[in-house]
């Protein structure tokens, strides 16, 4: 029986598990289809079966049919808001079992029919044309329902019964324009929700008796409250607020879109002040008239935070000091006033419990809280988007705020002039936001000594001066969107861990920053005009080593800006050889290459006897020049010998005893070096002279011949005889066999001649000598006679 390898079996199981996990993860990835604002009249038929999120809002769709979404079995979120749907049959979603988010708000729905199989988490039917609440008994089965948006023109207590058992996190109720004719004040008491938002009819004076004190609600939001001076709106609204005392759980109240008078507004604050509300927010307020000077009762309040946003008033010459006094003396911890055109805020008359103040988006100036000593508990202050100009004045303002830790003075017109005096910040300040101002390099001489988080992005900073105070506690620095050309020195910020310096003018950053700043755990330096040259190479290497751990936006935000051939290239794809960037290394490499080349050429020259060939070329050139200057007839008349004999001294016995007697007895004139060389001339010149004056050149070849350098010279010049071009003027006599291996490499001419030409081989048998001499004499005599005739 074959045994199974346990390791293979385990590997197979692990592989299958990994494959299943990947399939599950791929199925969980949302597939979004956005067809909003596409001018659609029907749901598109070309939707992918993988669609999980479908947005078809802001179109002209008037109905939903089962066939439209039947195939979308994976659909989880459907947004059909801002269309023209008038009737809805929820059964169209019976095949979409995974549907959990359905938004049908801002349509023309007046009627719906329900289906028991749909179990949604989010259902929004608000801002439609329902008369009665669109609540079916099937809604009671939506056990997962977290958000329910409704709209109606009339409310009845019985309408809420189907969902009374559900615990809904948030309910949005939009009341139509005709609401109030038949009103049941108790209609919401069966509602079970943590957060209730009621939108009353717009542009209609508040005249409702609806009891909004839902016992389970923790948060209540009321929108569209209009209480005009001549009406009874305030009394109705006051009655609604008074009933909030019945709900001891209610801690947060938000009022939106309020139109009333200054007096009613102050009375509203006073009324809420004495309730159990802890967080009170008012936004989008239109105020009329002038306030009466009444004392504000700050006693017995549960309020912790008050927020007032976007207030406009039609009153001119408003006595703002009265309003400022009420605000500044509030005994709460968190106070926000934004978007109110407030030009000043006075100092509290006594030690204030304020911990967090937000006066952003107003018209406050440098004199705000000047010399104010009663904000010693204040920890957070936001003066964003005001009219602040002198940084030294703001620093002086904080000097009395002994507990201030966070200050936001961004989006002002702040500047700092060193000549205007020293900055004196509170030593408790840890976080300072001065972004979007007109600060320059000098701001680094006016910083809180213990600051940990500093935001200076979007200013006019060109460099960070080195001789500045050491910010030893600074951990996070944001200097993005300035004009910096270099990274800051970590010697000044030795604890820096987060640096944001993108969108500056950094072109050639130094790698020293990353190597010296050991505490850096996050750096964002993208969108700078990096100059991709040799100077950037080391920085890119250092950046690439830590990119996955600390570099934000890598690699997409880091691109070459110049030179042109690299523009748009990601820094991670920028590569340049070390040789081209290191001048010393380049020079050494070139020197070594030249040296190696020189040594190689010298060795080759020695191996192939190049000096000898150079000398021969020189002599050959001189001879050729003389030949060109001499007429051909004169050159032919200079032939004085039938043959020039070249041989080795070791073969002279054979030449003198055999060769010369057999040639000269036929009156052939032979040129020999020992009797025809002219004294006083060089050997080379004599060789050339004899070859020029001889009709033929006879070479006696033997092993001794190839060992003689002068024989080599004679063979070279005879082969290049300039005066017999095109003629066969060489005669080779092989006296003794010459093995190929014994011929030196410099005698390649001899090798070629022996391979290409027919040579006379000296026979050892005497019977053949006669034929040998006859052939040799014939080759000379015939040619000589033909020349003589000419």
């Amino acid at each position: 029986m074959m045994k199974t390898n346990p390791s293979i079996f385990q590997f197979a199981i692990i592989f299958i598990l990994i494959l299943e996990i990947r399939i599950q993860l791929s199925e969980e990835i949302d597939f979004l289809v956005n067809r909003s604002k596409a001018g659609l009249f029907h749901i598109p038929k070309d939707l992918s079966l993988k669609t999980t999120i479908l947005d078809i809002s802001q179109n002209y769709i008037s109905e939903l049919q089962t066939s439209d979404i039947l195939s979308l079995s994976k659909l989880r979120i459907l947004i059909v808001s801002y269309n023209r749907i008038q009737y809805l049959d929820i059964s169209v979603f019976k095949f979409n079992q995974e549907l959990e988010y359905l938004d049908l708000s801002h349509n023309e729905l007046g009627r719906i029919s329900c289906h028991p199989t749909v179990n949604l988490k989010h259902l929004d039917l608000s801002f439609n044309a329902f008369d009665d609440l669109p609540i079916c008994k099937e809604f009671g089965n939506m056990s997962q329902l977290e958000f329910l948006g409704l709209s109606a023109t009339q409310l009845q207590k019985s309408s809420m019964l189907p969902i009374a058992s559900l615990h809904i996190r948030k309910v949005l109720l939009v009341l139509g324009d005709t609401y109030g004719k038949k009103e049941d004040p108790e209609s919401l008491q069966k509602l079970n929700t943590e957060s209730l938002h009621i939108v009353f009819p717009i542009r209609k004076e508040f005249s409702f008796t609806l009891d909004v004190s839902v016992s389970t609600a923790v948060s209540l939001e009321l929108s569209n409250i209009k209480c005009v001076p001549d009406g009874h709106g305030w009394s109705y609204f006051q009655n609604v607020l008074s009933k909030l005392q019945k709900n001891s759980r209610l801690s947060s109240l938000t009022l939106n879109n309020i139109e009333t008078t200054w007096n009613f507004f102050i009375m509203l604050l006073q009324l809420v002040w004495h309730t159990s509300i802890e967080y009170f927010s008012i936004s989008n307020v239109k105020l009329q008239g002038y306030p009466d000077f009444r004392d504000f009762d700050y006693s017995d309040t549960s309020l912790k935070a008050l927020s007032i946003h976007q207030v406009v008033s039609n009153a001119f010459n408003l006595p703002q000091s009265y309003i400022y006094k009420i605000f500044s003396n509030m005994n709460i911890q968190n106070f926000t006033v934004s978007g109110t055109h407030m030009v000043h805020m006075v100092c509290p008359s006594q030690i204030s419990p304020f911990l967090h103040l937000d006066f952003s988006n107003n018209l406050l100036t440098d004199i705000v809280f000047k010399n104010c000593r009663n904000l010693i508990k204040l920890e957070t202050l936001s003066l964003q988007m005001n009219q602040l100009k002198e940084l030294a004045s703001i620093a002086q303002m904080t000097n009395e705020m002994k507990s201030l830790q966070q200050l936001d003075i961004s989006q002002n017109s702040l500047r700092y002039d060193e000549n205007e005096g020293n900055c004196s910040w509170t030593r408790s300040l840890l976080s300072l936001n001065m972004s979007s101002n007109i600060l320059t390099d000098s701001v680094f001489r006016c910083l809180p000594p213990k600051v940990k988080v500093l935001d200076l992005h979007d200013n006019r900073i060109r460099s960070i001066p080195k001789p500045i105070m050491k910010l030893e506690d600074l951990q996070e620095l944001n200097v993005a969107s300035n004009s910096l050309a270099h990274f800051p020195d970590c010697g000044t910020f030795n604890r820096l861990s987060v640096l944001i310096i993108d969108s500056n003018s950094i072109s050639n950053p130094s790698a020293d920053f990353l190597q010296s700043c050991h505490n850096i755990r996050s750096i964002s330096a993208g969108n700078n005009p990096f100059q991709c040259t040799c100077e950037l190479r080391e920085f890119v290497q250092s950046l690439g080593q830590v990119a996955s751990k600390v570099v934000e936006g890598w690699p997409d935000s880091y691109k070459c800006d110049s030179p042109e051939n690299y523009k748009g290239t990601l820094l991670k794809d920028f590569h340049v050889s070390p040789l081209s960037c290191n001048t010393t290394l380049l020079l050494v490499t070139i020197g070594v290459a030249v040296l190696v080349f020189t040594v190689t050429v010298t060795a080759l020259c020695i191996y192939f006897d190049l000096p000898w060939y150079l000398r021969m070329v020189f002599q050959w050139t001189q001879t050729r020049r003389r030949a060109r200057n001499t007429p051909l007839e004169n050159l032919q008349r200079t032939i004085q010998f039938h043959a020039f004999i070249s041989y080795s001294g070791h073969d002279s016995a054979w030449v003198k005893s055999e060769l010369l007697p057999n040639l000269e007895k036929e009156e052939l004139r032979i040129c020999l070096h020992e009797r025809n060389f002219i004294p006083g001339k060089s050997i080379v010149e004599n060789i050339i002279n004899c070859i020029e004056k001889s009709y033929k050149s006879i070479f006696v070849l033997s092993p001794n011949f190839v060992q003689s350098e002068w024989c080599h010279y004679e063979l070279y010049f005879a082969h290049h005889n300039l005066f017999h071009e095109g003629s066969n003027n060489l005669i080779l006599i092989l006296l003794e066999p010459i093995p190929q291996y014994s011929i030196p490499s410099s005698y390649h001419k001899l090798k070629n001649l022996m391979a290409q030409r027919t040579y006379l081989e000296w026979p050892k048998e005497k019977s053949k000598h006669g034929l040998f001499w006859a052939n040799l004499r014939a080759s000379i005599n015939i040619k000589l006679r033909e020349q003589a005739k000419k």
Side-chain angles (χ1 to χ4, degrees):
M1 184 177 178
M2 185 177 63
K3 294 183 180 180
T4 303
N5 191 331
S7 60
I8 297 177
F9 181 71
Q10 292 173 358
F11 174 79
I13 293 177
I14 294 173
F15 177 78
I16 294 173
L17 289 175
I18 293 174
L19 185 62
E20 290 180 352
I21 291 172
R22 287 186 175 180
I23 293 174
Q24 291 176 0
L25 290 175
S26 63
E27 289 177 350
E28 291 176 0
I29 298 175
D30 287 333
F31 192 92
L32 170 64
V33 176
N34 187 352
R35 298 289 181 88
S36 62
K37 300 181 181 179
L40 301 176
F41 289 88
H42 303 281
I43 296 180
K45 302 294 184 182
D46 59 345
L47 299 176
S48 171
L49 300 181
K50 299 179 181 179
T51 302
T52 58
I53 302 176
L54 176 59
D55 185 356
I56 49 175
S57 61
Q58 303 184 62
N59 283 291
Y60 305 101
I61 299 172
S62 58
E63 63 177 345
L64 296 178
Q65 297 180 357
T66 304
S67 59
D68 294 334
I69 54 176
L70 176 63
S71 61
L72 305 180
S73 60
K74 297 182 180 181
L75 189 64
R76 294 193 304 106
I77 299 176
L78 178 59
I79 304 174
V80 205
S81 57
Y82 292 95
N83 276 279
R84 297 178 178 179
I85 302 174
Q86 298 179 355
Y87 170 73
L88 174 65
D89 185 354
I90 295 185
S91 65
V92 300
F93 306 112
K94 62 185 177 181
F95 297 107
N96 308 102
Q97 294 300 311
E98 297 187 17
L99 186 64
E100 57 185 30
Y101 187 106
L102 179 59
D103 186 356
L104 287 160
S105 61
H106 298 276
N107 274 276
E108 300 173 7
L109 286 170
R111 187 165 57 92
I112 68 169
S113 61
C114 298
H115 192 271
T117 61
V118 180
N119 193 4
L120 300 171
K121 291 183 179 180
H122 182 106
L123 176 59
D124 194 352
L125 301 172
S126 61
F127 296 98
N128 277 285
F130 296 109
D131 290 327
D132 298 320
L133 284 175
I135 299 179
C136 307
K137 63 179 181 178
E138 289 83 1
F139 282 15
N141 299 324
M142 296 184 185
S143 57
Q144 301 184 62
L145 194 62
E146 297 179 355
F147 176 89
L148 178 60
L150 302 169
S151 56
T153 58
Q154 57 185 12
L155 300 179
Q156 294 180 359
K157 192 174 184 180
S158 58
S159 301
M160 294 291 180
L161 292 177
I163 60 173
S165 61
L166 299 179
H167 183 69
I168 307 173
R169 188 173 60 84
K170 182 173 182 178
V171 173
L172 169 62
L173 176 59
V174 180
L175 301 176
D177 292 339
T178 60
Y179 174 77
K181 293 181 179 179
K182 295 180 180 180
E183 190 175 16
D184 181 1
E186 305 295 323
S187 56
L188 300 180
Q189 295 308 301
K190 294 294 182 179
L191 192 60
N192 185 1
T193 182
E194 293 181 6
S195 178
L196 176 61
H197 182 189
I198 302 176
V199 179
F200 290 99
I202 195 170
R203 293 186 298 273
K204 186 175 183 181
E205 186 176 7
F206 195 89
S207 57
F208 312 113
T209 60
L210 183 63
D211 188 352
V212 297
S213 59
V214 178
S215 60
T216 59
V218 177
S219 174
L220 176 64
E221 184 173 355
L222 305 176
S223 298
N224 300 334
I225 301 166
K226 184 176 182 179
C227 303
V228 295
D230 298 332
H232 301 284
W234 171 245
S235 60
Y236 278 101
F237 188 62
Q238 186 178 18
N239 181 57
V240 169
L241 293 181
S242 62
K243 294 179 181 180
L244 297 180
Q245 293 286 11
K246 296 188 300 180
N247 181 8
S248 59
R249 298 188 57 189
L250 187 65
S251 62
S252 176
L253 175 62
T254 301
L255 304 179
N256 296 318
N257 301 327
I258 303 174
E259 185 176 350
T260 186
T261 65
W262 269 105
N263 282 330
F264 287 164
F265 180 72
I266 301 298
M267 291 169 63
L268 173 62
L269 295 177
Q270 187 72 83
L271 179 63
V272 175
W273 203 266
H274 299 295
T275 63
S276 61
I277 302 297
E278 296 181 356
Y279 304 95
F280 185 28
S281 178
I282 308 173
S283 61
N284 298 319
V285 184
K286 293 182 180 180
L287 297 177
Q288 305 176 18
Y290 296 89
D292 296 333
F293 293 89
R294 303 175 183 177
D295 292 334
F296 195 90
D297 182 7
Y298 299 104
S299 64
D300 191 23
T301 184
S302 301
L303 201 64
K304 295 180 180 179
L306 172 63
S307 299
I308 302 173
H309 305 276
Q310 303 300 325
V311 178
V312 295
S313 174
N314 65 353
F316 295 95
N317 298 321
L318 185 71
Q320 297 185 21
S321 58
Y322 168 69
I323 307 300
Y324 300 153
K325 182 180 178 181
I326 293 177
F327 287 164
S328 64
N329 290 316
M330 287 183 171
N331 53 338
I332 57 177
Q333 295 180 344
N334 303 278
F335 185 37
T336 297
V337 179
S338 66
T340 64
H341 298 94
M342 181 172 62
V343 298
H344 188 53
M345 177 55 65
V346 297
C347 182
S349 58
Q350 56 186 357
I351 301 298
S352 174
F354 285 144
L355 297 179
H356 308 284
L357 290 179
D358 183 354
F359 294 152
S360 58
N361 193 17
N362 285 292
L363 301 174
L364 298 175
T365 62
D366 297 336
I367 62 173
V368 63
F369 294 138
K370 186 175 183 180
N371 299 323
C372 182
R373 295 181 173 84
N374 291 331
L375 292 173
I376 58 175
K377 296 183 180 181
L378 188 64
E379 297 178 357
T380 303
L381 175 61
S382 176
L383 299 175
Q384 180 188 41
M385 295 180 67
N386 277 280
Q387 300 294 318
L388 308 180
K389 294 183 178 180
E390 300 297 334
L391 183 60
S393 300
I394 303 304
Q396 186 64 36
M397 174 199 72
T398 68
N399 207 22
E400 301 295 337
M401 301 175 181
K402 305 301 182 182
S403 301
L404 187 65
Q405 297 181 12
Q406 298 182 30
L407 175 62
D408 186 350
I409 48 177
S410 61
Q411 300 185 62
N412 281 280
S413 301
L414 286 169
R415 58 181 178 272
Y416 175 65
D417 187 352
E418 297 180 75
N419 299 324
E420 294 183 1
N422 296 326
C423 284
S424 179
W425 295 91
T426 178
R427 297 187 63 84
S428 62
L429 193 58
L430 303 178
S431 177
L432 177 59
N433 187 347
M434 295 190 290
S435 61
S436 301
N437 281 285
I438 53 175
L439 296 167
T440 60
D441 305 356
S442 60
V443 69
F444 287 95
R445 307 188 191 282
C446 181
L447 295 174
K450 299 294 183 180
V451 65
K452 293 183 177 181
V453 180
L454 180 60
D455 191 345
L456 288 167
H457 83 268
D458 191 22
N459 275 283
R460 301 179 182 180
I461 302 172
R462 295 183 176 273
S463 64
I464 299 177
K466 290 188 177 180
I468 62 174
M469 58 183 294
K470 286 191 175 182
L471 301 176
E472 297 181 351
D473 295 323
L474 186 63
Q475 298 176 4
E476 299 183 18
L477 175 62
N478 186 346
V479 285
S481 301
N482 280 282
S483 301
L484 290 169
H486 304 284
F487 281 94
D489 181 10
C490 269
T492 306
F493 315 119
N494 51 19
R495 292 188 181 179
L496 190 65
S497 60
V498 177
L499 175 64
I500 304 174
I501 196 169
D502 46 343
S503 301
N504 272 275
S505 301
I506 300 175
S507 57
N508 291 307
S510 172
D512 296 339
F513 172 79
L514 294 172
Q515 297 170 358
S516 61
C517 298
H518 304 293
N519 296 321
I520 286 290
R521 56 180 174 83
S522 176
I523 179 172
S524 178
N527 301 312
N528 274 290
F530 294 111
Q531 186 176 355
C532 291
T533 57
C534 289
E535 289 75 10
L536 193 68
R537 177 176 170 271
E538 188 175 352
F539 172 78
V540 173
Q541 291 178 343
S542 301
L543 203 64
Q545 293 173 358
V546 298
S548 60
K549 298 179 181 179
V550 302
V551 182
E552 304 294 335
W554 179 269
D556 296 337
S557 299
Y558 298 78
K559 299 179 180 179
C560 299
D561 185 70
S562 62
E564 192 65 29
N565 57 322
Y566 280 113
K567 190 167 186 177
T569 303
L570 296 177
L571 292 194
K572 75 177 184 65
D573 297 329
F574 169 65
H575 303 290
V576 61
S577 66
L579 186 62
S580 61
C581 292
N582 191 325
T583 305
T584 303
L585 181 60
L586 181 61
L587 292 176
V588 169
T589 303
I590 294 174
V592 170
V594 171
L595 180 61
V596 170
F597 179 77
T598 303
V599 171
T600 303
V601 170
T602 303
L604 292 174
C605 290
I606 295 173
Y607 182 77
F608 291 109
D609 203 11
L610 184 62
W612 182 87
Y613 281 107
L614 292 176
R615 292 197 300 270
M616 294 302 101
V617 168
F618 175 75
Q619 296 291 341
W620 180 82
T621 305
Q622 296 296 324
T623 304
R624 185 174 181 85
R625 187 169 64 248
R626 291 199 304 271
R628 286 179 177 175
N629 297 328
T630 305
L632 181 61
E633 294 77 6
N634 296 341
L635 290 175
Q636 291 176 340
R637 293 192 198 102
T638 63
I639 297 176
Q640 301 176 9
F641 303 99
H642 291 86
F644 166 70
I645 300 177
S646 175
Y647 59 93
S648 170
H650 297 287
D651 299 326
S652 62
W654 181 85
V655 171
K656 293 177 180 179
S657 64
E658 295 286 347
L659 182 61
L660 285 177
N662 282 285
L663 294 180
E664 289 183 338
K665 70 180 181 180
E666 296 291 336
E667 298 182 356
L668 297 175
R669 297 189 61 188
I670 304 301
C671 180
L672 291 177
H673 66 273
E674 61 262 31
R675 69 186 186 189
N676 297 106
F677 275 17
I678 301 173
K681 289 188 177 182
S682 66
I683 295 177
V684 173
E685 194 170 359
N686 273 309
I687 292 172
I688 295 174
N689 186 48
C690 283
I691 292 173
E692 288 177 354
K693 294 180 179 180
S694 300
Y695 180 70
K696 294 287 185 177
S697 295
I698 300 175
F699 291 87
V700 181
L701 303 180
S702 69
N704 297 319
F705 182 91
V706 298
Q707 300 300 322
S708 172
E709 184 176 0
W710 291 112
C711 290
H712 190 197
Y713 290 161
E714 293 167 353
L715 177 65
Y716 180 85
F717 285 111
H719 182 256
H720 293 85
N721 190 348
L722 305 175
F723 316 107
H724 299 83
E725 291 181 355
S727 64
N728 190 10
N729 64 318
L730 297 181
I731 299 175
L732 304 179
I733 298 176
L734 186 61
L735 183 62
E736 297 178 14
I738 305 175
Q740 286 289 327
Y741 64 84
S742 66
I743 303 177
S745 59
S746 58
Y747 278 62
H748 63 275
K749 292 290 185 184
L750 177 59
K751 292 181 180 181
N752 294 334
L753 290 172
M754 292 182 68
Q756 297 173 4
R757 292 178 180 271
T758 302
Y759 51 84
L760 297 175
E761 188 173 358
W762 171 247
K764 299 299 182 182
E765 300 86 353
K766 290 185 178 182
S767 60
K768 298 180 181 180
H769 289 180
L771 181 61
F772 174 83
W773 296 120
N775 287 335
L776 181 60
R777 285 193 296 269
S779 63
I780 299 175
N781 284 332
I782 294 174
K783 295 291 183 180
L784 185 58
R785 291 191 186 105
E786 290 178 358
Q787 286 287 354
K789 290 178 182 179
K790 291 180 181 179

